[in-house]
Amino acid sequence: KAGVTQTPRYLIKTRGQQVTLSCSPISGHRSVSWYQQTPGQGLQFLFEYFSETQRNKGNFPGRFSGRQFSNSRSEMNVSTLELGDSALYLCASSLAGGLGEQYFGPGTRLTVT
Amino acid sequence: AQTVTQSQPEMSVQEAETVTLSCTYDTSESDYYLFWYKQPPSRQMILVIRQEAYKQQNATENRFSVNFQKAAKSFSLKISDSQLGDAAMYFCAYRSAGFNKFYFGSGTKLNVKP
């Protein structure tokens, strides 16, 4: 099976712009979670989508949003970018239930200037 | 909310030696899962080992084993016969049984010296 894929891998944006990141889960996985990884804060949970519905949410402002499509692919959107949004954004997919193991994608490195 | 603490920001081990990475967590739940993930430099995060809280037996995966102390809420990772390829950031993670939401520790950077 193909692993979790994320596009684009690298992105440079200007403060105030918006950005959309994409994640394709492993075939058959219906749960997609998003994380923000920074050197100072580590891995922070953004949200989880399952069957096109947001099921869990972390403590991020409303500028961070996401959605999931019927094929389980997910997108994450950040509006009005701030310098502090510079991070590695990781997507992980899993089979809902079971052992709950998450499989991670390579991440999208977002730099806000 | 659950919290996961890794008190060792960085550790070093000599090749072929054994090293133990510490992790503690705070929860009021009785049913949950614990994981160790490895993130090599500029590479994808991968699962190293997992432990179900209801199992008393410690999980092992080849050179990797855990010491799970449920009462103490401790979940350490032991790497035996360390190899250069083990150099990476290691993250401890918690997931409750009822929710597919993971809590990660801040990570431990492991250096392996030849």
Side-chain angles (χ1 to χ4, degrees), chain B residues 40-102:
Chain B
S42 301
R43 292 181 64 185
Q44 212 148 325
M45 190 171 309
I46 58 174
L47 179 71
V48 174
I49 199 167
R50 59 177 169 251
Q51 174 80 43
E52 296 91 322
Y54 63 85
K55 288 187 177 179
Q56 292 187 342
Q57 186 174 8
N58 289 322
T60 62
E61 286 287 342
N62 301 313
R63 298 183 294 107
F64 299 87
S65 61
V66 298
N67 183 4
F68 173 49
Q69 302 289 328
K70 192 172 184 179
K73 297 179 183 175
S74 170
F75 182 60
S76 60
L77 174 70
K78 186 171 83 171
I79 306 174
S80 304
D81 186 26
S82 296
Q83 300 175 0
L84 295 177
D86 294 333
M89 280 292 288
Y90 285 82
F91 293 94
C92 177
Y94 171 104
R95 173 191 173 263
S96 63
F99 297 94
N100 198 25
K101 182 176 179 180
F102 281 64

Side-chain angles (χ1 to χ4, degrees), chain A residues 68-85:
Chain A
Q68 187 180 35
F69 302 95
S70 58
N71 61 359
S72 294
R73 189 177 71 84
S74 178
E75 287 183 347
M76 191 193 97
N77 184 276
V78 187
S79 62
T80 318
L81 283 166
E82 301 177 358
L83 296 178
D85 296 334

Side-chain angles (χ1 to χ4, degrees), chain A residues 4 31 33 35 37 43 45 48 55-58 88 90 94 97-102 104-106, chain B residues 33 35 37 39 42-47 50 52 54 89 91 95 99-106:
Chain A
V4 178
S31 169
S33 297
Y35 295 86
Q37 186 178 19
L43 271 154
F45 174 78
E48 183 224 2
R55 191 164 64 169
N56 290 294
K57 189 177 188 305
L88 180 67
L90 294 170
S94 65
L99 291 177
E101 175 182 334
Q102 290 198 329
F104 283 83
Chain B
Y33 302 99
F35 305 83
Y37 280 89
Q39 188 178 38
S42 301
R43 292 181 64 185
Q44 212 148 325
M45 190 171 309
I46 58 174
L47 179 71
R50 59 177 169 251
E52 296 91 322
Y54 63 85
M89 280 292 288
F91 293 94
R95 173 191 173 263
F99 297 94
N100 198 25
K101 182 176 179 180
F102 281 64
Y103 297 87
F104 284 83
S106 54

Side-chain angles (χ1 to χ4, degrees), chain A residues 38-42, chain B residues 106:
Chain A
T38 59
Q41 299 296 319
Chain B
S106 54

Side-chain angles (χ1 to χ4, degrees), chain A residues 3-74:
Chain A
V4 178
T5 58
Q6 292 186 244
T7 56
R9 293 293 311 279
Y10 301 92
L11 207 49
I12 300 176
K13 289 286 188 178
T14 303
R15 194 169 44 181
Q17 288 185 315
Q18 74 160 20
V19 67
T20 299
L21 313 181
S22 180
C23 171
S24 292
I26 292 172
S27 176
H29 285 191
R30 295 167 64 192
S31 169
V32 174
S33 297
W34 288 89
Y35 295 86
Q36 181 193 66
Q37 186 178 19
T38 59
Q41 299 296 319
L43 271 154
Q44 292 188 287
F45 174 78
L46 280 155
F47 30 64
E48 183 224 2
Y49 284 87
F50 177 75
S51 292
E52 303 178 63
T53 300
Q54 188 180 90
R55 191 164 64 169
N56 290 294
K57 189 177 188 305
N59 297 321
F60 276 81
R63 300 186 297 107
F64 293 82
S65 62
R67 60 177 175 169
Q68 187 180 35
F69 302 95
S70 58
N71 61 359
S72 294
R73 189 177 71 84
S74 178

